[in-house]
Amino acid sequence: MSLLKDFKATGKDQAMQLLESGASNLKAMQKLYEELFPFPKLSAASNDFKSMATTASNEKVAKAVISTLDQVEEVSEMTRKLEYFIILHIPKIEDGGNFGVGVQLDLVKKLGEILEASSKATEDLLGYQNARAEALGKLSLPSTSTTVTKSAGATTTDGKKEEKTSETTEEKQTSSSLGVSFESRVLAVAAVDTLYYSKARAAFQSCMLNFMSAIDFVDKNKDKLVQPKGSGGSGSSHFSMY
């Protein structure tokens, strides 16, 4: 039981620390969001991304996607800490007086939904590089290939053997037609960038909202979450529920 009490105390401490730092964490998220997603409309983002459609990488979108993935992971970790805290504070279910337990189970459900949404957002955003590579590959951009040919031989002059080597370099260039088809494919690359910019922005917004709602729920119900039976109720945890 002493080991369980240690885990229980650790879970409570972590949850209370999250409550204390909740406002500052949200402010930091909001600041990062404004830096990553400066365009007021997707049309403005799309117009900007056209100039980068023929480059190997769109750094603006790549940064937005990677930073959002990091933020989703961070919020998921904080969510798991809250889940850890709640599970260890669920008491044995008894007849009557289970309202506080119901509050706990509501939060467990909410936290599970947040983790599921985070997992889906992560899987979705990880498809960006592949989607862009496929669109970029269809552009058939001009390229240059170089072939180097080396040859070696030997000659004998006045009984002396001399080694001779020669090297030739051949370059081949391929070009693409800059017609209507090419322009459409450029727009397709820009569309991929715009799509994943939008996905990242939505995921980041959901991330902030989910964290905000979870922290707010814990703050408003912390007494019931810590002591669901009240100060005089049973405090033993009941793991058979999971």
Side-chain angles (χ1 to χ4, degrees), residues 31-44:
K31 181 180 179 180
L32 179 59
Y33 174 84
E34 292 172 356
E35 293 174 358
L36 295 174
F37 307 102
F39 300 105
K41 295 182 179 180
L42 282 181
S43 58

Side-chain angles (χ1 to χ4, degrees), residues 32-39 45 49 57-72 121 125-126 128-129 193-205:
L32 179 59
Y33 174 84
E34 292 172 356
E35 293 174 358
L36 295 174
F37 307 102
F39 300 105
F49 297 158
S57 176
N58 183 327
E59 294 301 327
K60 293 180 181 179
V61 179
K63 182 179 178 181
V65 169
I66 292 298
S67 298
T68 299
L69 285 169
D70 287 343
Q71 192 63 66
V72 169
L125 291 176
L126 285 175
Y128 170 59
Q129 295 295 348
D193 287 337
T194 305
L195 173 63
Y196 278 88
Y197 175 88
S198 176
K199 286 177 180 286
R201 186 173 66 177
F204 203 110
Q205 288 173 334

